[in-house]
Amino acid sequence: MSTDRIITLHGEQELVQRAGHLFVASREEFLVAATDLMTFSAGVNAAFRQGKRPHVVPGLTMRKLYSRRALADPESLRRLRRIAASGIEIRISDGPIAREAIVIDRHTAILAGAPVRGVHAYTVVQAPEVVDGVRSLFRATWETATALADCAAPPPPLTGQARDTLRALAAGHTDETGARLLGVSLRTYRRRVADLMTSLGASSRFQAGLLARGLLDEEVSPAAPR
């Protein structure tokens, strides 16, 4: 495999300067796989602001695949919905994303490395066998992932009881403290928390706490921009 088809770029600015033109060249597929909205968003958005955006041409497929970490807070969910409203297909994988990557047609793969002191390294690969492998991995994960609309339903209306429990979650109280503040038994409090986690689609107490903060903020500022 020729090494002149592999280059490593450091940080979003260099990604845009040296590889942004590749985005514009997309004619068949523009695929993004990422754990959440952080890895590629800065670089891709900066490229798009400079006009280095894939041209919407007949036959161009634009897809973005994320893990459930992308649903961890209401603002991320709102961003995903805005992206989907622009015509880009979005799916959510129940499992981890094996490799965060962008695939442009069948000729280029941009692979993200783990951040070092907050800076990502991006490896741009144009070796056909590697690009084909990354593309195949994306497609296999995409087929088993869930459409955004099916896993990110609007949150249910809050009852007074649910609102009180959300406030305790958002404040980070222990179950014992939350039960005491609400004047209920520990068993009742834990059942309410479990019910809320189910209705919110939260997979952990931490995620439920993040969602709780967002829901309560929305109630305070219902006219906030989305």
Side-chain angles (χ1 to χ4, degrees):
M1 183 170 61
S2 174
T3 56
D4 62 0
R5 295 187 177 186
I6 302 175
I7 60 171
T8 299
L9 309 175
H10 298 279
E12 286 77 12
Q13 184 175 354
E14 190 173 13
L15 173 65
V16 172
Q17 290 175 344
R18 299 186 60 187
H21 66 283
L22 296 171
F23 299 170
V24 183
S26 182
R27 289 295 181 272
E28 297 176 23
E29 292 179 325
F30 189 84
L31 312 177
V32 179
T35 298
D36 52 37
L37 287 164
M38 300 302 294
T39 306
F40 288 112
S41 60
V44 171
N45 290 341
F48 285 4
R49 283 195 298 271
Q50 294 184 21
K52 298 172 181 177
R53 179 188 294 272
H55 296 300
V56 180
V57 296
L60 175 62
T61 298
M62 297 185 71
R63 290 175 172 169
K64 293 191 175 185
L65 175 68
Y66 296 98
S67 77
R68 286 197 172 269
R69 276 181 53 181
L71 304 176
D73 63 90
E75 178 55 31
S76 292
L77 179 53
R78 284 192 288 268
R79 288 177 61 191
L80 288 174
R81 287 173 175 160
R82 287 196 295 268
I83 293 169
S86 72
I88 298 175
E89 297 179 67
I90 295 179
R91 290 190 183 182
I92 305 297
S93 172
D94 286 323
I97 300 298
R99 173 59 104 165
E100 295 187 291
I102 294 174
V103 181
I104 302 169
D105 294 339
R106 299 170 185 267
H107 59 69
T108 303
I110 301 173
L111 311 177
V116 177
R117 293 187 290 277
V119 177
H120 281 281
Y122 299 98
T123 302
V124 181
V125 183
Q126 293 186 311
E129 59 271 35
V130 177
V131 176
D132 186 60
V134 176
R135 182 174 176 273
S136 296
L137 184 60
F138 180 97
R139 290 171 64 86
T141 308
W142 179 266
E143 290 302 318
T144 60
T146 304
L148 177 66
D150 294 334
C151 63
L158 296 179
T159 64
Q161 173 182 295
R163 193 177 295 107
D164 291 340
T165 307
L166 279 173
R167 288 196 181 98
L169 274 174
H173 292 310
T174 64
D175 288 355
E176 290 77 8
T177 301
R180 185 172 64 255
L181 290 172
L182 271 60
V184 298
S185 70
L186 182 60
R187 181 177 180 180
T188 297
Y189 179 80
R190 285 175 172 166
R191 187 185 69 247
R192 291 183 182 179
V193 170
D195 289 344
L196 274 173
M197 288 177 63
T198 299
S199 64
L200 294 173
S203 57
S204 68
R205 291 290 187 93
F206 175 74
Q207 187 182 36
L210 290 174
L211 291 168
R213 293 188 189 98
L215 286 173
L216 293 170
D217 287 346
E218 286 184 354
E219 287 203 328
V220 173
S221 306
R226 293 174 180 269

